[in-house]
Amino acid sequence: MDLNFLDFEQPIAELEAKIEELRLVGHDNEINIAEEIERLEKKSRALTESVFAGLSSWQISQLSRHPQRPYLLDYTRRLFDEFHELHGDRAYADDPAMVGGLARLDGRAVMAIGHQKGRDTKEKIYRNFGMPRPEGYRKALRLMWMAERFRLPILTFIDTPGAYPGVGAEERGQSEAIARNLQVMAGLRTPILCTVVGEGGSGGALAIGVGDRLLMLQYSTYSVISPEGCASILWKSADKAQLAAEAMAITSERLREQGLVDQIIPEPLGGAHRDPDAVALALKTALSEQLEQLQEIDLDQLIAERYTRLMGYGKFKE
Amino acid sequence: MAINVETTMSWFEKLMPSRIRTEASHKRAVPEGIWAKCPGCNAILYRAELERNLEVCPKCGHHNRIRARRRLDGFLDPEPREELGAEMESADPLKFKDLKRYKDRLAAAQKATGEKEAMVVLRGRLKGEPIVAAAFEFEFMGGSMGSVVGERFVRGVEGAIEQGAPLVCFSASGGARMQESLFSLFQMAKTSAALGQLRARGLPFISVMTDPTMGGVSASLAMLGDLNIAEPGALIGFAGPRVIEQTVREKLPEGFQHSEFLMDKGALDMIVDRRDLRDRVSELLAILMRRGRHCAAGNALSPPVVG
């Protein structure tokens, strides 16, 4: 079993391994096996389509944190003509779990900020599994203030299991750092465009998620607590994560039904990790279009609309 | 000591499993509700006296949790009082069901507490000066913040702005309410944004953190006070101690995430005994609102920035 594939991806992976094998054989021999390869590829596509047509919320949640899923720095080099990473919160440290910098999107100057996870074990630890500490949020805040000063629109990219639950993080005011970002972003005088590209984990995600538009990649998720966390509290067992994922409405589709998401960016067949170039292109198109619309709105109106949008969150009877 | 107990036990008691034995030896001699044992110093206290003392132990000063309405009642002037958003109830947007239906959990919490939701907001006066005061009801689903709590808080902010009055919030909450999922999470953004409006109008927000103030409530409105005040010994933090212990796999430092610890780390302005809060907040607000002896009207100071 290949650990780079999720359980429901295994049959697809096996089929593709077979195709790959045949290709190698084809190179070695004179026998024409192109037909057989074509037949298997068709079969693989059909299989992928059928598996992905019926994904459960839990499976989507697994996709959103797929070990091969593109992370922020995989996107920056595909999305931007230029990207100049900026470091540090000017008070304590530079947090590698939060990345930000000056960038150009189709020539347009922007500030890009997002969570960063690591690919291999060493990088995972360096990036703290994409879980920022207060200095990460404060770096983001510093860059957002800078963006406002130089009238740069802000693009944020959300992909985190959550803010880091550690001793140092608490000591340095994790709560305050998150809360401050929420308040400042609500009133920042520049367009803010937020996209969930992977895992939208609770307050740690929201801390760079307050803005004028919320976009989600098709197989990304956004929730108040991880399905496992929710299950262990409400079902008294982390094994019930599948039920929790369903109940909490964490997928892009369910959240759009609830009116909380503006646009879903479709992912290539099999998910973003199967074709990072394609998903980056779709993301780039969506960001450019949304940004163009946002930049046409008068700033005072933009801020007023953002406030109305924030005050509209919630459902109650009266 | 254990040996003494052994020797005074009858053969029958020795045969019983220890769990049953303990229960039998702790038979209640008095009717429930007249006496209370202080979790801080184990003193046996007269319940009525404890209530008079705002649920603070008169012997050791341990702060027990206090109900939202009782809290506001002891804090505000007896009148006038007007409740904001009193009729609001959760709409259960996701038709959430875990082992129980969310709807049933709400009904049970309403029955147990006599409250419609986990926050009470009152417009009233503090020593004659207009104020809006909000308090979390911890007994209502752990004081968790869902759509109604968020909206009630915002009504409080709007009420304060309308009257040009300050806002005080007493938090006691486990965090966001899971059963409303992303709607709950977004209440963090909503309440924080509303406080931005109060701030822009130069009106003070005093956040009083009480035991416990955790998760989404701590990481939004509670930490955004112009003054961050805590009651003594309150648990305050983002992640729960158990979650942190599991993550870092080491023992947490003594007093970690308690008021005194946060004060030491610079997260709080002060720790104030519940029995002094009314006086103290009133004095602080008088200064922030430039009232009183040495703040005569028409002085050289410019008015607060509006907008």
Side-chain angles (χ1 to χ4, degrees):
Chain A
M1 189 166 137
D2 190 331
L3 288 176
N4 282 323
F5 291 95
L6 302 171
D7 53 358
F8 60 90
E9 288 182 305
Q10 292 296 340
I12 304 166
E14 279 161 26
L15 206 50
E16 292 198 342
K18 217 175 275 172
I19 295 170
E20 206 47 45
E21 234 169 76
L22 274 181
R23 276 214 183 94
L24 288 176
V25 174
H27 282 302
D28 291 349
N29 294 311
E30 297 296 309
I31 324 158
N32 187 357
I33 45 167
E35 241 171 68
E36 178 64 6
I37 289 178
E38 198 180 314
R39 193 185 66 81
L40 283 176
E41 275 180 339
K42 210 179 266 175
K43 196 175 160 194
S44 160
R45 206 159 33 240
L47 181 64
T48 314
E49 268 164 18
S50 83
V51 167
F52 275 71
L55 289 179
S56 69
S57 296
W58 171 244
Q59 287 171 324
I60 292 174
S61 137
Q62 288 174 292
L63 278 175
S64 75
R65 33 190 164 159
H66 195 289
Q68 295 302 310
R69 194 165 176 86
Y71 301 144
L72 177 61
L73 291 173
D74 300 311
Y75 285 118
T76 50
R77 61 166 182 269
R78 292 178 168 95
L79 288 177
F80 302 126
D81 323 332
E82 293 170 44
F83 180 67
H84 309 276
E85 193 180 344
L86 305 175
H87 294 274
D89 70 343
R90 296 295 186 270
Y92 181 78
D94 182 45
D95 187 348
M98 183 75 78
V99 164
L102 294 163
R104 263 182 209 286
L105 180 79
D106 274 335
R108 213 184 253 114
V110 297
M111 182 69 84
I113 298 167
H115 305 100
Q116 178 66 40
K117 294 179 175 176
R119 194 70 65 192
D120 58 34
T121 307
K122 204 174 144 199
E123 202 202 349
K124 275 184 176 134
I125 292 165
Y126 174 64
R127 301 289 181 186
N128 200 29
F129 301 86
M131 295 185 285
R133 298 177 166 95
E135 45 274 23
Y137 294 113
R138 288 175 183 139
K139 167 165 74 177
L141 185 65
R142 178 176 79 83
L143 299 185
M144 291 192 275
W145 264 326
M146 189 196 297
E148 181 186 53
R149 211 158 49 246
F150 297 103
R151 285 176 293 170
L152 303 172
I154 298 167
L155 306 178
T156 73
F157 301 90
I158 295 163
D159 186 14
T160 180
Y164 185 59
V167 175
E170 295 286 327
E171 288 179 338
R172 297 192 293 279
Q174 188 73 288
S175 286
E176 194 274 346
I178 294 170
R180 188 67 54 202
N181 283 16
L182 301 180
Q183 185 166 67
V184 171
M185 289 181 90
L188 217 56
R189 294 183 62 79
T190 189
I192 306 175
L193 185 49
C194 309
T195 309
V196 187
V197 294
E199 208 179 346
S202 196
L206 185 65
I208 57 164
V210 181
D212 304 298
R213 297 285 184 276
L214 178 59
L215 280 53
M216 282 181 83
L217 290 191
Q218 187 178 4
Y219 300 128
S220 66
T221 55
Y222 204 171
S223 62
V224 67
I225 185 171
S226 70
E228 292 90 334
C230 178
S232 72
I233 297 171
L234 293 181
W235 277 266
K236 319 276 179 227
S237 155
D239 303 338
K240 298 284 194 270
Q242 308 194 11
L243 294 175
E246 205 60 56
M248 285 199 297
I250 62 175
T251 64
S252 58
E253 213 172 299
R254 297 279 306 277
L255 291 169
R256 192 164 61 177
E257 281 165 25
Q258 297 293 333
L260 295 171
V261 172
D262 299 289
Q263 187 184 345
I264 297 175
I265 298 154
E267 292 187 26
L269 182 63
H273 58 291
R274 302 299 296 271
D275 194 346
D277 288 329
V279 72
L281 187 65
L283 179 57
K284 186 173 177 175
T285 311
L287 291 174
S288 290
E289 282 171 10
Q290 290 282 1
L291 210 52
E292 197 159 334
Q293 288 173 26
L294 287 178
Q295 286 190 301
E296 276 172 21
I297 305 171
D298 164 74
L299 257 185
D300 287 330
Q301 193 192 335
L302 186 78
I303 307 306
E305 282 175 11
R306 188 187 302 157
Y307 189 73
T308 309
R309 175 190 178 86
L310 287 166
M311 292 308 115
Y313 287 144
K315 295 228 168 114
F316 50 85
K317 303 178 278 197
E318 196 173 14
Chain B
M1 286 302 280
I3 295 160
N4 273 340
V5 174
E6 285 284 306
T7 52
T8 56
M9 248 179 219
S10 74
W11 64 269
F12 179 68
E13 279 173 315
K14 275 184 199 166
L15 280 176
M16 291 206 306
S18 63
R19 194 168 47 83
I20 298 173
R21 213 154 54 202
T22 325
E23 276 174 23
S25 64
H26 277 80
K27 253 190 194 154
R28 276 214 175 83
V30 285
E32 218 173 321
I34 291 187
W35 301 98
K37 189 171 163 191
C38 173
C41 65
N42 286 332
I44 305 296
L45 305 167
Y46 189 38
R47 184 74 237 149
E49 191 193 351
L50 193 59
E51 268 169 40
R52 266 199 305 279
N53 214 32
L54 297 171
E55 305 292 334
V56 178
C57 172
K59 300 262 186 331
C60 71
H62 177 84
H63 283 52
N64 294 290
R65 285 182 193 144
I66 184 169
R67 299 288 303 272
R69 253 172 231 281
R70 174 82 185 87
R71 147 96 59 193
L72 294 177
D73 201 42
F75 181 74
L76 293 171
D77 297 351
E79 50 193 58
R81 285 182 194 179
E82 179 201 348
E83 185 164 353
L84 304 178
E87 293 309 312
M88 237 177 261
E89 276 183 85
S90 174
D92 187 12
L94 302 175
K95 305 273 167 281
F96 194 95
K97 183 172 175 268
D98 46 79
L99 294 175
K100 282 185 196 165
R101 281 175 205 286
Y102 177 37
K103 232 171 66 185
D104 296 341
R105 283 190 195 270
L106 284 167
Q110 287 175 341
K111 198 165 164 227
T113 61
E115 295 293 349
K116 280 222 167 80
E117 257 291 345
M119 173 178 273
V120 179
V121 186
L122 296 180
R123 180 145 61 176
R125 285 179 185 269
L126 176 65
K127 304 204 174 188
E129 297 295 340
I131 190 170
V132 175
F136 280 82
E137 177 53 71
F138 189 76
E139 301 279 305
F140 194 108
M141 299 186 75
S144 54
M145 178 160 71
S147 301
V148 175
V149 169
E151 179 67 18
R152 278 189 182 170
F153 185 82
V154 168
R155 300 267 172 105
V157 172
E158 288 167 353
I161 290 174
E162 214 173 270
Q163 280 196 293
L167 176 71
V168 176
C169 179
F170 301 93
S171 35
S173 171
R177 186 169 301 164
M178 277 175 288
Q179 291 88 346
E180 290 183 34
S181 194
L182 209 62
F183 287 103
S184 294
L185 185 71
F186 284 4
Q187 299 311 307
M188 293 170 65
K190 179 172 173 171
T191 54
S192 303
L195 283 172
Q197 295 293 308
L198 196 71
R199 194 186 177 88
R201 283 164 178 76
L203 294 168
F205 169 50
I206 296 193
S207 171
V208 181
M209 291 172 248
T210 80
D211 186 61
T213 299
M214 302 299 293
V217 170
S218 155
S220 62
L221 61 98
M223 277 294 168
L224 292 173
D226 290 298
L227 302 179
N228 285 343
I229 299 177
E231 289 189 341
L235 186 72
I236 302 164
F238 177 68
R242 252 179 309 155
V243 175
I244 297 174
E245 219 155 25
Q246 282 162 15
T247 310
V248 301
R249 292 176 197 287
E250 57 185 80
K251 199 118 183 62
L252 300 176
E254 180 76 18
F256 181 65
Q257 291 186 318
H258 282 77
S259 309
E260 297 71 15
F261 178 89
L262 266 82
M263 175 92 156
D264 189 46
K265 298 295 171 194
L268 301 175
D269 288 288
M270 57 182 85
I271 296 172
V272 179
D273 189 297
R274 187 179 297 156
R275 294 162 294 188
D276 301 331
L277 271 171
R278 187 174 141 86
D279 289 342
R280 202 61 186 279
V281 170
S282 157
E283 287 166 11
L284 290 165
L285 283 176
I287 292 173
L288 292 177
M289 299 291 284
R290 292 166 312 282
R291 285 190 303 254
R293 289 174 298 171
H294 300 293
C295 303
N299 63 14
L301 290 172
S302 52
V305 183
V306 177

